[in-house]
Amino acid sequence: MTVWSVAIGDELTRTEISRKYGGSKFGGIEPSAKTPNIFIYTDPDKGKLHGYDFDGWNEDNTAFLYTGEGTVGNQKMDSGNAAILQHLETGRSLRIFVANGIKEGTSGTKIQTYLGEFEIDSDNPYSVEKSLDDN
C-alpha cells in the first residue's frame, strides 16, 4: 500500500498526485481506486465561473467549506458529494488541494497546494445555500 507522504503546504501537479495516489486529473472530487483517499480540488478563480462561491475557510478558520459538485440545477447527494459525506463509513481520507498558480515551463499546468487531511463535521455535514449555476 502507498503511504501518504505529502506534507501540508507541499505543491504538486494533479498528474503527480494521480500517478502516486490515484484519482482522476480533472474533476473537483476524485475518489482514488488506488489508495483510500478522496481528493478534493478547489480553484477559486475557476470555481466562481460555475457558482462555487463557498470554497474556503469559514469566518473563524475552524472549518473548510466546499461547494460540492454539480454545475446545473440543485446539487444531489450522489457521486462525489456522497463520497465526501460517507468518507468515514468507507474508511477514506479527505485530502484537500487548492490551485495556486501555474507550474513554470508549462502551458498552464496548475500547481496544487496541499491543505491537509480533513474530516466531515458529523454534526453539521452540509448546508443548503443558494448560488448561481452554469445556466
Side-chain angles (χ1 to χ4, degrees), residues 12 14-15 17 21 25 39-41 43 45 51 58 62 76 80-81 84 95-96 107-109 113 115 121 131:
L12 302 101
R14 287 185 67 158
T15 298
I17 297 163
Y21 300 105
K25 297 178 277 188
F39 301 110
I40 298 174
Y41 295 98
D43 183 339
D45 295 332
N58 65 353
T62 58
K76 295 178 173 58
N81 293 333
I84 291 173
R95 303 198 182 271
I96 300 180
S107 62
T109 301
T113 301
L115 298 185
D121 181 341
S131 185

Side-chain angles (χ1 to χ4, degrees), residues 2 11 28 30 34 47 72 74-75 87 92 97 99 104 113 120 123:
T2 304
E11 296 181 332
E30 293 300 335
K34 184 176 179 180
V72 177
N74 293 332
Q75 291 190 10
H87 85 96
R92 291 172 165 249
F97 291 85
E104 277 189 46
T113 301
I120 196 144
D123 293 330

Side-chain angles (χ1 to χ4, degrees), residues 24-133:
S24 172
K25 297 178 277 188
F26 304 105
I29 303 170
E30 293 300 335
S32 172
K34 184 176 179 180
T35 62
N37 293 293
I38 299 169
F39 301 110
I40 298 174
Y41 295 98
T42 181
D43 183 339
D45 295 332
K46 189 174 179 183
K48 288 179 182 169
L49 301 174
H50 301 287
Y52 295 169
D53 300 328
F54 303 102
D55 292 11
W57 292 100
N58 65 353
E59 288 181 13
D60 59 3
N61 289 321
T62 58
F64 190 89
L65 307 176
Y66 184 72
T67 303
E69 69 182 5
T71 59
V72 177
N74 293 332
Q75 291 190 10
K76 295 178 173 58
M77 194 52 70
D78 59 13
S79 193
N81 293 333
I84 291 173
L85 183 64
Q86 299 164 357
H87 85 96
L88 292 172
E89 297 166 32
T90 59
R92 291 172 165 249
S93 296
L94 291 180
R95 303 198 182 271
I96 300 180
F97 291 85
V98 63
N100 185 19
I102 304 296
K103 184 173 180 171
E104 277 189 46
T106 70
S107 62
T109 301
K110 293 195 177 185
I111 296 167
Q112 304 292 326
T113 301
Y114 181 54
L115 298 185
E117 180 179 358
F118 289 73
E119 186 174 294
I120 196 144
D121 181 341
S122 57
D123 293 330
N124 188 21
Y126 65 89
S127 63
V128 177
E129 308 293 338
K130 293 211 178 269
S131 185
L132 298 174
D133 66 9

